[in-house]
Amino acid sequence: MAREHEGAVDLGRVDEIVARHKGREGALLPVLREVQDAVGYLPQEALERVALGLGLSLSQVYGVATFYSLLYTKPKGKYTVRVCESAPCHVQGAQEVVDTLVRELGISFGETTPDGLFTLEKVSCLGVCGVAPAVMIGDRVYGNLTPETVVAVLQEYR
Amino acid sequence: MALVKLTIDGLPVEVEAGTTILRAAEKLGIHIPTLCYLEDMHEFGACRVCVVEVEGARTLQAACVTPVREGIVVRTNTPAVRRARRTTVELILSDHHTECPTCVRNLNCELQSLAESMGIRENRFAGARTDNPVDSSSAAIVRDPNKCVLCRRCVSICEKVQGVKAIGPVGRGFETVIGPAFGDRLGDTVCVNCGQCILVCPTGALHERDSTEEVWAALADPDRHVVFQTAPATRVALGETYGLPPGSIVTGKMVAAIRRLGADTVFDTDFAADLTIMEEGHELIQRLTKGGTLPMITSCSPGWIKFIEHFYPDLLPNLSTCKSPQQMFGAVIKTYYAEKVGLDPAKIYHVSVMPCTAKKFECRRPEMRDSGFADVDAALTTRELGRMLKEAGIVFDELPEEPYDDPLGESTGAAVIFGATGGVMEAALRTAYEVVTKKTLPRVEFEAVRGLEGVKEASVDLDGTEVRVAVAHGLANAKKVLDKVRAGEGDWHFIEIMACPGGCIGGGGQPIPTNLEVRQKRIEGIYTADERMTIRKSHENPSILALYKEFLGEPLGHKSHELLHTTYTPRGRYLPRREKAAD
Amino acid sequence: MRFYRAHVLVCAGTNCSLKGSQAVRQRLLNELEEVGLADEVKVVETGCFGLCEQGPTVVVYPEGVLYCRVTPDDVPELVREHLLKGRRLERLLYREEAEKAVQTVPQVDFFRGQQRIVLRNCGVIDPESIEEYIAHGGYEALGKALTEMKPAEVVAELKASGLRGRGGAGFPTGLKWEFAAKTEGDVKYIVCNADEGEPGTFKDRLILEGDPHAVLEGMAIAGYAVGARKGYIYIRGEYALSIERLEEAIKQARKMNFLGDGIFGTGFAFDVEVRVGAGAYVCGEETALFESLEGRRGEPRLKPPYPTERGLFGKPTVINNVETLANVAPIILNGAKWYRGFGTEGSPGTKVFTLTGDIVNEGLIEVPMGITLREVVFGIGGGIPGGRAFKMAQTGGTSGGCLPAELLDVPMDYDELAKAGSALGSGALLIMDDTHCIVDIARVFARFFEHESCGKCVPCREGTMRIHDIMTRIATGRAGEKDLDNLEALARTMTTACLCPLGQAAPVPIMTTLKYFREEYDAHIKEKRCPTGTCRALAAPAATLAAGKGA
């Protein structure tokens, strides 16, 4: 997943993504996901470019970008750690995993560690309840977590 | 159309298929309370205040968007329905900054009315409230998200009727806010200041930026000579502040009232409207005969001007270079008038009373200083004037009818019709016809350009020369016309565009409510006022002729260009790139 | 054609993958190579077996021996013992509670009690092989429908089968197809709702990972039945493997012309496109899904008009859940009468349940409708771990009701569970033992809905917030009697006045906990005490306030 330096958005890349999806009905969501993958998040310049390219108002584009939990309009850390806080994970000890993560990373939910490595987020059910409690980092899911194992998982990324 | 029979609260009723339960109930004299619903404009069904019981349905249905079906049994007032409705309204109140006594919409607020009519006496659900900063960045419109009930009427109107789309829902769930993208300040966006959003807002979440305080200060300042001008559209609406029917012509009382406030001079914007016709009429003739950019488009609507600057900057050369009447007047008052009565223009404080919120932005445009001073110091909305009059304890009803001051108070029927969509066009045609053909118009009325149809077209025969015109009101309608102009289709010579539906009488600064029916009544008032005028054509206004003779010289002359014409600023669709915002 | 003497099936469903089944598979390949069995023994990655708690699971055929908790280090011994010497590896055999080692899949109670129609191929075929799908009867139903049946006959078959929507609403599928078929229009759509967001539910994920072609075939048959040429699968963004498998399956299906123009040499054309969601539970609601697909915020629309009249892009649309679609091919192949042989009168067929929480056999099962909760929890489910006591079962996911021990004998189908005050819903079953606090879990329910409310309608946007407020106050000892009154007022309003099922369902789980576990609420409110000691804010006062009562 290519990452851009904040403040220097490769608009050519955005244009290319928009061009590929142009003409497709309901293209906005797929375009936003791809642009986010390319840029790392959805900065203003990118959203303006998407709006221009798809012929949509900035209001609609921003309204969509801020509605969905997996779309981010603010820069994130290198790895986004998503902890499931739904009932099945809760029943299997998610609270301890949550507490451990907050302690280990020294940040609250929604925040990013000072070194820019981890962003911590709470999410709703990830659909891996068979291995609750679970955490998702990037595209990878980690299950059956305990305070010890979740620390070990973080180490993999450090 | 097929008819449908149903029962509401035990009473039978028959309506056309497709009618909503809400309308069907009205036929029986049953008023189901609503909040987000706005007839013909916004049928959203999301506030859930208008829910009713429909026998057999699993859940309660929103009456405003549910069509009737044959044989259904509807109940609007069961205990369960009443409880659901009350809980819903209580929930809205629980997330509202209820500061009614100090709110701009005190006594004219739909949420207040709802709570009052439902007899709500407690707020059971106190808890977290959305807390967002008030946005007063715009010259014209203030956003207070803490009074927003998220009815989305403003979004609807900005998007569908105005085609601007400056605001929209942001975030999800309880955190949802209606505002510009990126949390930007309204003043930094493509918002054109038309204020249509204010007109549809049920609460005080949107209101105009207050100019009354500065005007009060000027009125109280013995050193200042306060000059007022009043727009055509104001005189058929101001009376509503005092409970008079929309469209009541209250010109004389309005003038008297403003004098009671302490104004030194009260002039009529209509005078400047006649002036605009002189300049613009000749400009059109010049473009027609000397091959200037066509079609020419009117330029007196500041909401429209900001719109074209953002969205169609390539068509700026098509705009007439004439200023709006308000601004022409400012330049004239601080030069010609000041000179004539021996006043130091620096001491003149010039206030306009407008049906318009965008005028607040217009009078602050940096180029509007051709007199050497701000040509117009403050623009008050009709609503603000109403508030000032009430605060001053003026009993409108009992005022005598007073005339405007001379020499800039005289006007014509052509001027007063500026307030209605198609009015500028008609006024211009009345003059253009006679100037070009050098004949008298058989009839002054041009019905083809009147009325509430979104885009009107007409063809006028100027003694063998066919002049094709278009009139659009509401910016989404303007878009239709402009897209054609851009594409090189639509072979018009002259186009009138008004930002507000109905024209200025439907402006963002007019008394609330301003709905379709009210607009129609105000328009009727305008044309009645026209009929009552002795002079019906701008070029026959003696005061105008005097102004040219004594001061301006001739239309489009050097002095005119100096004082009465302007330039425009292309603006991007999106905001200038900014540094990365801190979290 | 290569004939293998043994097949080693390695479960590669997400849950087992997370436990390392990929490494097991790789080690198997290496070991088989090393001992020279690579040409005789085939290693197949399959979809989920359902025994997630015991993963990684491996089944060796032709015997059908089931091995559990297999690690890469076990592989050399497994290969030498079983594949070379023909001896079962005792220590890895599936063990039931009684420590009796059970050997083959059919012997395992967990599987014996199941009726795998939807999951027919999961754990049996390699989901990335269309050939294996076909070898197992795949696309035969589509062929039959296109060449032997008229569209109206297909609709009639679905109607007769009594299949009801497996996403949660339980609407009769055949009826839905009939409405769409009867609506006039050149352009119609089939949408597969794979936005599985109901907490505790992961069946659609595993069906798509384990048998993607089943869904494609179901969609194509639906398209034929109603007159649609295009299908969309809206799948949640978090399901990366499912998306991959689906895209691959679509490519394969197109290549073999099960999708595209002239399918089976008839005039029928159908194609499928995958669209990915971006994290919003509400997009599982059909009209919100359409909004999302159309590039807007996922805010539900008003109904009427219903999707079969005006749905995606304003066209008549059939929207079905993944599991519903996976039932279509077997019904067409075997007939409605066969299908009605399973389940109950009102809810024919089987249901895939996902078992989570305090239950021995966490995972995926497929059983006939009408099985009781008790049979699932204590039979197939293996009971409560550690011998603890059953306290509560939430059926249907977070939007379903909570049932106490007294209701364990409720038969599980749409109508019976609704009568019991809960819902079958997605088939999620969350089991809780007596160490958990009801108030605490109800607070978690409330938190979920507050987070997921789309914000469009007042009662949900404000109501879910207020319910969360109240539950938090109760859980932290700051509530009063009025809070329960207000909770009830909110519940009554939301269940009747909210615009969409999310808001309508939101209060239900909480109200059922209030109904069946009132004492726990009273303890928190009146005594400021948490009986199970879970609610941290009340932990300290527990000792002082509950003097003599014990924590």
Side-chain angles (χ1 to χ4, degrees), chain B residues 541-569:
Chain B
N541 182 336
S543 301
I544 291 287
L545 298 172
L547 174 63
Y548 276 101
K549 187 150 176 241
E550 293 171 31
F551 187 66
L552 292 173
E554 48 178 33
L556 307 181
H558 175 74
K559 202 93 188 176
S560 294
H561 269 107
E562 206 182 86
L563 295 175
L564 309 180
H565 290 257
T566 186
T567 54
Y568 303 107
T569 313

Short mmCIF file of all heavy atoms in Angstrom, two decimals, chain B residues 541-569:
data_model
loop_
_atom_site.label_atom_id
_atom_site.label_comp_id
_atom_site.label_asym_id
_atom_site.label_seq_id
_atom_site.Cartn_x
_atom_site.Cartn_y
_atom_site.Cartn_z
N ASN B 541 -38.77 58.56 -16.03
CA ASN B 541 -38.65 59.05 -14.66
C ASN B 541 -37.95 60.41 -14.67
O ASN B 541 -36.77 60.49 -15.00
CB ASN B 541 -37.87 58.02 -13.82
CG ASN B 541 -37.73 58.42 -12.38
OD1 ASN B 541 -37.81 59.60 -12.02
ND2 ASN B 541 -37.53 57.42 -11.53
N PRO B 542 -38.68 61.48 -14.32
CA PRO B 542 -38.08 62.83 -14.39
C PRO B 542 -36.83 62.96 -13.53
O PRO B 542 -35.87 63.62 -13.93
CB PRO B 542 -39.18 63.75 -13.86
CG PRO B 542 -40.44 62.96 -13.88
CD PRO B 542 -40.05 61.51 -13.79
N SER B 543 -36.84 62.36 -12.35
CA SER B 543 -35.66 62.47 -11.48
C SER B 543 -34.46 61.80 -12.12
O SER B 543 -33.33 62.24 -11.95
CB SER B 543 -35.94 61.84 -10.11
OG SER B 543 -37.02 62.49 -9.50
N ILE B 544 -34.70 60.72 -12.83
CA ILE B 544 -33.61 60.03 -13.52
C ILE B 544 -33.07 60.94 -14.63
O ILE B 544 -31.86 61.09 -14.78
CB ILE B 544 -34.10 58.69 -14.12
CG1 ILE B 544 -34.41 57.69 -13.01
CG2 ILE B 544 -33.08 58.14 -15.10
CD1 ILE B 544 -33.19 57.13 -12.31
N LEU B 545 -34.00 61.52 -15.36
CA LEU B 545 -33.56 62.41 -16.45
C LEU B 545 -32.76 63.56 -15.86
O LEU B 545 -31.73 63.97 -16.42
CB LEU B 545 -34.78 62.90 -17.23
CG LEU B 545 -35.58 61.77 -17.92
CD1 LEU B 545 -36.88 62.29 -18.52
CD2 LEU B 545 -34.73 61.10 -19.02
N ALA B 546 -33.21 64.04 -14.72
CA ALA B 546 -32.48 65.14 -14.07
C ALA B 546 -31.09 64.69 -13.68
O ALA B 546 -30.11 65.43 -13.86
CB ALA B 546 -33.26 65.61 -12.85
N LEU B 547 -30.99 63.49 -13.13
CA LEU B 547 -29.69 62.97 -12.72
C LEU B 547 -28.71 62.93 -13.89
O LEU B 547 -27.55 63.31 -13.75
CB LEU B 547 -29.87 61.56 -12.11
CG LEU B 547 -28.60 60.80 -11.76
CD1 LEU B 547 -27.81 61.54 -10.68
CD2 LEU B 547 -28.93 59.39 -11.30
N TYR B 548 -29.19 62.47 -15.00
CA TYR B 548 -28.30 62.43 -16.18
C TYR B 548 -27.95 63.83 -16.62
O TYR B 548 -26.79 64.14 -16.92
CB TYR B 548 -28.97 61.65 -17.32
CG TYR B 548 -28.77 60.15 -17.20
CD1 TYR B 548 -29.77 59.32 -16.70
CD2 TYR B 548 -27.56 59.58 -17.55
CE1 TYR B 548 -29.56 57.96 -16.57
CE2 TYR B 548 -27.34 58.21 -17.42
CZ TYR B 548 -28.36 57.42 -16.93
OH TYR B 548 -28.15 56.08 -16.80
N LYS B 549 -28.95 64.70 -16.62
CA LYS B 549 -28.71 66.07 -17.11
C LYS B 549 -27.70 66.77 -16.23
O LYS B 549 -26.76 67.39 -16.70
CB LYS B 549 -30.05 66.82 -17.11
CG LYS B 549 -29.99 68.18 -17.74
CD LYS B 549 -31.35 68.57 -18.36
CE LYS B 549 -31.24 70.00 -18.88
NZ LYS B 549 -32.15 70.94 -18.26
N GLU B 550 -27.90 66.63 -14.89
CA GLU B 550 -27.06 67.40 -13.98
C GLU B 550 -25.72 66.77 -13.69
O GLU B 550 -24.79 67.43 -13.27
CB GLU B 550 -27.78 67.57 -12.63
CG GLU B 550 -29.03 68.43 -12.69
CD GLU B 550 -29.79 68.36 -11.37
OE1 GLU B 550 -29.13 68.18 -10.30
OE2 GLU B 550 -31.03 68.43 -11.38
N PHE B 551 -25.65 65.45 -13.87
CA PHE B 551 -24.49 64.79 -13.26
C PHE B 551 -23.84 63.73 -14.14
O PHE B 551 -22.65 63.81 -14.43
CB PHE B 551 -24.94 64.18 -11.92
CG PHE B 551 -23.83 63.60 -11.09
CD1 PHE B 551 -22.84 64.42 -10.54
CD2 PHE B 551 -23.78 62.24 -10.84
CE1 PHE B 551 -21.83 63.88 -9.76
CE2 PHE B 551 -22.77 61.70 -10.06
CZ PHE B 551 -21.79 62.51 -9.51
N LEU B 552 -24.63 62.80 -14.60
CA LEU B 552 -24.04 61.65 -15.28
C LEU B 552 -23.72 61.90 -16.75
O LEU B 552 -22.85 61.26 -17.32
CB LEU B 552 -24.98 60.44 -15.19
CG LEU B 552 -25.17 59.84 -13.80
CD1 LEU B 552 -26.25 58.76 -13.84
CD2 LEU B 552 -23.85 59.26 -13.29
N GLY B 553 -24.46 62.80 -17.34
CA GLY B 553 -24.25 63.00 -18.77
C GLY B 553 -25.19 62.12 -19.57
O GLY B 553 -26.35 62.44 -19.72
N GLU B 554 -24.66 60.99 -20.02
CA GLU B 554 -25.55 60.10 -20.76
C GLU B 554 -25.28 58.65 -20.34
O GLU B 554 -24.22 58.34 -19.80
CB GLU B 554 -25.35 60.28 -22.26
CG GLU B 554 -23.88 60.26 -22.63
CD GLU B 554 -23.70 60.38 -24.11
OE1 GLU B 554 -24.53 61.06 -24.76
OE2 GLU B 554 -22.76 59.76 -24.60
N PRO B 555 -26.25 57.75 -20.63
CA PRO B 555 -26.05 56.35 -20.24
C PRO B 555 -24.78 55.80 -20.86
O PRO B 555 -24.43 56.11 -22.00
CB PRO B 555 -27.29 55.66 -20.84
CG PRO B 555 -28.31 56.71 -20.96
CD PRO B 555 -27.57 57.99 -21.22
N LEU B 556 -24.04 55.03 -20.10
CA LEU B 556 -22.77 54.43 -20.50
C LEU B 556 -21.68 55.48 -20.74
O LEU B 556 -20.64 55.17 -21.31
CB LEU B 556 -22.93 53.59 -21.79
CG LEU B 556 -24.02 52.52 -21.79
CD1 LEU B 556 -24.03 51.76 -23.11
CD2 LEU B 556 -23.79 51.53 -20.65
N GLY B 557 -21.95 56.69 -20.24
CA GLY B 557 -20.93 57.73 -20.38
C GLY B 557 -19.79 57.51 -19.39
O GLY B 557 -19.78 56.55 -18.62
N HIS B 558 -18.89 58.41 -19.39
CA HIS B 558 -17.69 58.26 -18.56
C HIS B 558 -18.03 58.19 -17.08
O HIS B 558 -17.53 57.33 -16.34
CB HIS B 558 -16.76 59.45 -18.84
CG HIS B 558 -15.56 59.45 -17.95
ND1 HIS B 558 -14.51 58.57 -18.12
CD2 HIS B 558 -15.25 60.21 -16.87
CE1 HIS B 558 -13.61 58.79 -17.18
NE2 HIS B 558 -14.03 59.77 -16.40
N LYS B 559 -18.93 59.07 -16.64
CA LYS B 559 -19.29 59.10 -15.22
C LYS B 559 -20.00 57.81 -14.82
O LYS B 559 -19.78 57.27 -13.75
CB LYS B 559 -20.24 60.29 -14.99
CG LYS B 559 -20.29 60.79 -13.58
CD LYS B 559 -19.30 61.91 -13.36
CE LYS B 559 -19.22 62.26 -11.88
NZ LYS B 559 -18.20 63.26 -11.67
N SER B 560 -20.86 57.34 -15.74
CA SER B 560 -21.56 56.11 -15.45
C SER B 560 -20.56 54.99 -15.23
O SER B 560 -20.65 54.23 -14.27
CB SER B 560 -22.48 55.72 -16.60
OG SER B 560 -23.52 56.65 -16.73
N HIS B 561 -19.59 54.91 -16.15
CA HIS B 561 -18.63 53.82 -16.02
C HIS B 561 -17.84 53.91 -14.73
O HIS B 561 -17.49 52.91 -14.12
CB HIS B 561 -17.72 53.74 -17.24
CG HIS B 561 -18.27 52.81 -18.27
ND1 HIS B 561 -18.83 53.25 -19.43
CD2 HIS B 561 -18.43 51.47 -18.26
CE1 HIS B 561 -19.29 52.21 -20.12
NE2 HIS B 561 -19.07 51.13 -19.44
N GLU B 562 -17.64 55.10 -14.32
CA GLU B 562 -16.86 55.28 -13.09
C GLU B 562 -17.64 54.84 -11.85
O GLU B 562 -17.09 54.24 -10.94
CB GLU B 562 -16.57 56.78 -12.98
CG GLU B 562 -15.35 57.16 -12.20
CD GLU B 562 -15.24 58.68 -12.14
OE1 GLU B 562 -15.84 59.29 -11.23
OE2 GLU B 562 -14.57 59.22 -13.04
N LEU B 563 -18.92 55.19 -11.86
CA LEU B 563 -19.70 54.97 -10.63
C LEU B 563 -20.68 53.81 -10.69
O LEU B 563 -21.00 53.22 -9.66
CB LEU B 563 -20.50 56.24 -10.31
CG LEU B 563 -19.71 57.49 -9.98
CD1 LEU B 563 -20.66 58.66 -9.81
CD2 LEU B 563 -18.91 57.30 -8.69
N LEU B 564 -21.18 53.53 -11.87
CA LEU B 564 -22.33 52.63 -11.93
C LEU B 564 -22.02 51.26 -12.53
O LEU B 564 -22.91 50.42 -12.63
CB LEU B 564 -23.46 53.29 -12.75
CG LEU B 564 -23.83 54.72 -12.33
CD1 LEU B 564 -24.95 55.26 -13.22
CD2 LEU B 564 -24.25 54.76 -10.86
N HIS B 565 -20.79 51.04 -12.91
CA HIS B 565 -20.44 49.75 -13.50
C HIS B 565 -19.36 49.09 -12.68
O HIS B 565 -18.62 49.75 -11.94
CB HIS B 565 -20.02 49.93 -14.96
CG HIS B 565 -21.18 50.30 -15.85
ND1 HIS B 565 -21.78 49.41 -16.70
CD2 HIS B 565 -21.87 51.47 -15.98
CE1 HIS B 565 -22.78 50.01 -17.34
NE2 HIS B 565 -22.85 51.26 -16.91
N THR B 566 -19.22 47.81 -12.82
CA THR B 566 -18.32 47.07 -11.93
C THR B 566 -17.61 45.95 -12.66
O THR B 566 -17.80 45.73 -13.86
CB THR B 566 -19.10 46.51 -10.73
OG1 THR B 566 -18.18 45.92 -9.80
CG2 THR B 566 -20.09 45.43 -11.18
N THR B 567 -16.75 45.26 -11.92
CA THR B 567 -16.05 44.09 -12.46
C THR B 567 -16.34 42.89 -11.57
O THR B 567 -16.86 43.04 -10.46
CB THR B 567 -14.52 44.32 -12.45
OG1 THR B 567 -14.14 44.68 -11.12
CG2 THR B 567 -14.12 45.41 -13.42
N TYR B 568 -15.96 41.72 -12.06
CA TYR B 568 -16.28 40.49 -11.34
C TYR B 568 -15.03 39.69 -11.05
O TYR B 568 -13.97 39.92 -11.63
CB TYR B 568 -17.29 39.67 -12.15
CG TYR B 568 -18.54 40.47 -12.43
CD1 TYR B 568 -18.80 40.96 -13.70
CD2 TYR B 568 -19.42 40.80 -11.39
CE1 TYR B 568 -19.93 41.75 -13.95
CE2 TYR B 568 -20.53 41.58 -11.63
CZ TYR B 568 -20.78 42.06 -12.90
OH TYR B 568 -21.87 42.85 -13.14
N THR B 569 -15.15 38.75 -10.12
CA THR B 569 -13.99 37.99 -9.64
C THR B 569 -14.19 36.50 -9.87
O THR B 569 -15.04 35.90 -9.22
CB THR B 569 -13.84 38.20 -8.12
OG1 THR B 569 -13.95 39.58 -7.83
CG2 THR B 569 -12.53 37.63 -7.61
#
